């Protein structure tokens, strides 16, 4: 599985193209950075599919795939609370001594 969108960046777009270098440059000019995933697709944090598609269209770059990933409310909550623990098991030193 590829990278999931982060809670800080609610919108992430993923694309595939035959002209990745040109599209990366077009996205950089619009203020977006893209990262290539292991499967060959590229992700762009903070960019909607519409923004990526517009950058490709203006530059005449063909897109083979364009998907917008959005963070769900549940994913955002879990990302914000991963270090929080309401209940935690605590080992009692006397419980070990009694055994």
């Amino acid at each position: 599985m590829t990278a999931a969108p982060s809670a800080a960046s609610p919108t992430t777009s993923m694309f595939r193209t035959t002209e990745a270098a040109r599209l990366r440059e077009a996205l950089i000019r619009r203020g977006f950075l893209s990262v290539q995933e292991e499967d060959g697709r590229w992700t762009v944090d903070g960019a909607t599919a519409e923004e990526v598609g517009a950058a490709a269209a203006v530059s005449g770059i063909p897109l083979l795939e364009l998907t917008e990933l959005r963070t769900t409310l549940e994913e955002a909550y879990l990302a914000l609370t991963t270090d929080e623990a309401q209940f935690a098991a605590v080992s009692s030193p006397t419980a070990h001594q009694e055994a």
Side-chain angles (χ1 to χ4, degrees), residues 34-83:
S34 56
V35 176
Q36 188 171 22
E37 301 295 329
E38 291 179 13
D39 64 1
R41 291 186 280 180
W42 293 79
T43 56
V44 187
D45 284 339
T48 64
E50 183 178 337
E51 291 169 318
V52 174
V58 167
S59 301
I61 300 169
L63 289 173
L64 306 175
E65 179 182 357
L66 178 57
T67 305
E68 188 170 302
L69 308 171
R70 291 183 183 254
T71 302
T72 66
L73 183 58
E74 180 182 14
E75 290 168 331
Y77 175 78
L78 291 173
L80 292 171
T81 61
T82 54
D83 294 333

Side-chain angles (χ1 to χ4, degrees), residues 20-32 34 59 61:
R22 286 185 55 218
L23 185 49
R24 284 190 72 206
E25 289 299 319
L27 291 168
I28 288 170
R29 286 192 300 272
R30 292 173 179 244
F32 300 113
S34 56
S59 301
I61 300 169

